[in-house]
Amino acid sequence: SQINVYNAVNYGTAVTPFYTTLALWVGALILAALIKVHVDYKARFVKNATNAQLYFGRFLLFFVMGQLQSAIIVFGDLYLLHVECDNPKLFFITAAITSMVFTLFIYTLVISFGDVGKAIAVVMVVIQIAGSSGTFPIELLPEFFKNVYIYFPFPYAINAMREAISGVYGWDYFTYISKLFAFLDFLTLASLFSFQGADI
């Protein structure tokens, strides 16, 4: 007999978590390509600002734009594509959290490494598309992806969205979200540490 953990009425609904997550990453990458990550040092309010203030102050712009992107993507999924969603409110919240993590991730890469950071973000999305267990179970993928996929944010975002769309199973949702927040905490701490004495 077959026991369905996540019920999906059609293929489109089943792959929505993967493609929504991908859209949020690409959206964050486009933001980093279109908007300068470094502040204008000629502005008066910059002169006495600390590196942490410059870092988080500039990120606020990326955060707001990322939240707009996530809202548009989820609205499109629900009301244009008519995805069957078990908990639309949770879907919105999950997309907002995912966007915040992805935006901070790519913003930190670009502000740290410049154009090389953008290249790293592109390489990361290619690896995560192939090995995030979004379309195929991780057990069916090559050994390389089985070993590295847990170190990327894609799998946790996809699984959290799957919970919102197809129904929450036990405490799995909170596990996936907590792991996404772990990326957020690590990025924040690493950024504050690495930018001590550096120019942003």
Side-chain angles (χ1 to χ4, degrees), residues 81-171:
L81 301 179
H82 301 290
V83 170
E84 295 289 336
C85 183
D86 183 75
N87 195 327
K89 291 181 180 178
L90 193 61
F91 188 28
F92 271 103
I93 293 171
T94 307
I97 294 172
T98 301
S99 175
M100 179 171 59
V101 174
F102 287 2
T103 304
L104 182 61
F105 203 120
I106 295 174
Y107 169 74
T108 303
L109 281 175
V110 176
I111 205 171
S112 301
F113 305 108
D115 290 337
V116 175
K118 297 175 186 177
I120 293 173
V122 172
V123 171
M124 286 181 65
V125 74
V126 171
I127 295 174
Q128 291 180 108
I129 288 172
S132 63
S133 70
T135 52
F136 293 95
I138 193 64
E139 292 80 9
L140 300 179
L141 299 176
E143 200 67 29
F144 170 77
F145 295 113
K146 294 179 184 179
N147 294 329
V148 302
Y149 89 105
I150 60 173
Y151 302 109
F152 294 100
F154 255 49
Y156 310 113
I158 291 171
N159 287 327
M161 289 189 187
R162 191 172 286 141
E163 296 274 326
I165 291 173
S166 298
V168 176
Y169 184 74
W171 291 92

